[in-house]
Structure formats: structure tokens, C-alpha cells
Amino acid sequence: MKNIIQSTILGVMLVGASSVATADVLGFGVAAKAYQLELKDNDSNGNTDTETNVEYSAYLEHPVPLLPNVRLAFADFSFDESDDLQFEIDSRFTDATLYYEILDNIVELDLGLTVRVFDVAVDAVEDLENDDVSALLYAKAQGNLPFVGLSAGAIAQLGGNGDDAVTDAEVFIKYDFLLGVGVAAGYRLIEQKLEVDKNTDLDAELTGAYLSATFSF
């Protein structure tokens, strides 16, 4: 896994260094997502009841060549006990992503790297937790309809570390109104196998839809 992560980092750096497709102007945006998620424990095949969860994100893009753009995100996903799952899970993480705009027109393509810091707690027979850091490959593709304000796209993040493995993917459709205000709807899948104890892994799958309010300029 370490060799894969190192190769991924090197590849993204080379792509960014060789690309002349950077942001034309300074840009900034924020988003707030409300999720309706379900958690499945792959070890016990237990499912939680669907919960409402949130994520907040912000990005900064600039016209400086070779210097990557920045995206920050914080997610707070919490799940209560259910008939199938006999423990509570609080799954929070903070993302810091450095990325390059490879394409920026009708079709947009961003490639970069995410550092994800976990804050996961499992209320079981004994309290278990994970506060590890993982490196994830980041990719975003988006298609825009000119003069309409409608766009659709996908985001994928993949990676981990020696103890944890994460696959994070979503698809979305977005509509931008005047003055930078927009709304989006999407569906997200997060598969994460996290070490919460020397002898215990949390192998969980989070899936569900979300609605988002956005603002950008």
C-alpha cells in the first residue's frame, strides 16, 4: 500500500508540473451537504436506520502556475444502534486536498491528493476509536451546459495507509442560479476498513443521497 501511495503522489505531482491548465482567475466556493445515509457493517451484515448527517467544504482556486488549488472538507456522520447493529458509531473526518485543474471548460477535470484525518469512535462492549491519517488519490470530473447553469459530475477518492483502506465515490447534478448561489443533489458511497483496535477492524459501508447548497464566485 505504501508503494502504491508513493507512486500515486509522484504521478499527480508530474501531471501538475506538466499541465498548463490552471485557474484563469481567483475563485472561491463553499458548500453544505445534508445526507440521508445508511451504514452497513460488513462483518456482521448489520444495518443502521437511516440517519441525517452533514458535510461542509470550501475550496480556493488561483491563477498561479504549478501551485495547487486547495479544498477543505469536514464530515460528521453518526449512527445509532438498531435491531441489526448493537453499537453506536460516530464517524468524522477532515479532508485537506491539493489539486490541479487539468481541464477547465465545458468539461472540467481536477486531479490531486487528499490527506484524510479520521476521528472515529465505536461504542461497543469496550470503546474503540481510530484517529489515523490516510492519503487518498483525488479526482473530479464535471460536464457543464453553457448558458444554462446545469452541470453533472463525479468525485472519486481512493487510498489509505498500512492499516486502513478507503474508497469514496459520489455522483451529482448541480444547478447554479444568479450571484453564485446553487443547489445540488447527489449519491455517495464510502467503503472504509479502519483499524479501531490492534485486533479489530471496522469494515463499514456508508451509502445514501444528499442535498447541497453552494455558493461560489
Side-chain angles (χ1 to χ4, degrees), residues 31-35 53-56 71 170 188 210-213:
K33 295 178 180 178
Y35 288 85
N53 298 278
V54 295
E55 181 186 34
Y56 306 100
R71 178 181 182 272
E170 66 181 271
R188 190 167 182 178
Y210 67 81
L211 293 175
S212 176

Side-chain angles (χ1 to χ4, degrees), residues 105-128:
N105 207 302
I106 295 178
V107 176
E108 299 180 18
L109 177 62
D110 299 340
L111 295 178
L113 289 169
T114 295
V115 174
R116 177 166 294 183
V117 181
F118 286 99
D119 181 13
V120 177
V122 180
D123 182 12
V125 177
E126 59 177 321
D127 291 338
L128 306 173

Side-chain angles (χ1 to χ4, degrees), residues 77-97:
F77 302 147
S78 299
F79 303 91
D80 294 329
E81 295 181 2
S82 68
D83 293 337
D84 295 327
L85 197 66
Q86 302 304 314
F87 49 83
E88 297 179 0
I89 297 176
D90 291 328
S91 180
R92 302 180 182 89
F93 58 80
T94 302
D95 285 354
T97 302

Side-chain angles (χ1 to χ4, degrees), residues 1-11 113 133-137 158-165:
M1 177 63 73
K2 291 183 179 179
N3 291 335
I4 294 176
I5 294 174
Q6 291 173 353
S7 299
T8 299
I9 293 174
L10 179 60
L113 289 169
V133 178
S134 290
L136 312 177
L137 175 66
L158 174 66
N161 55 41
D163 300 316
D164 307 321

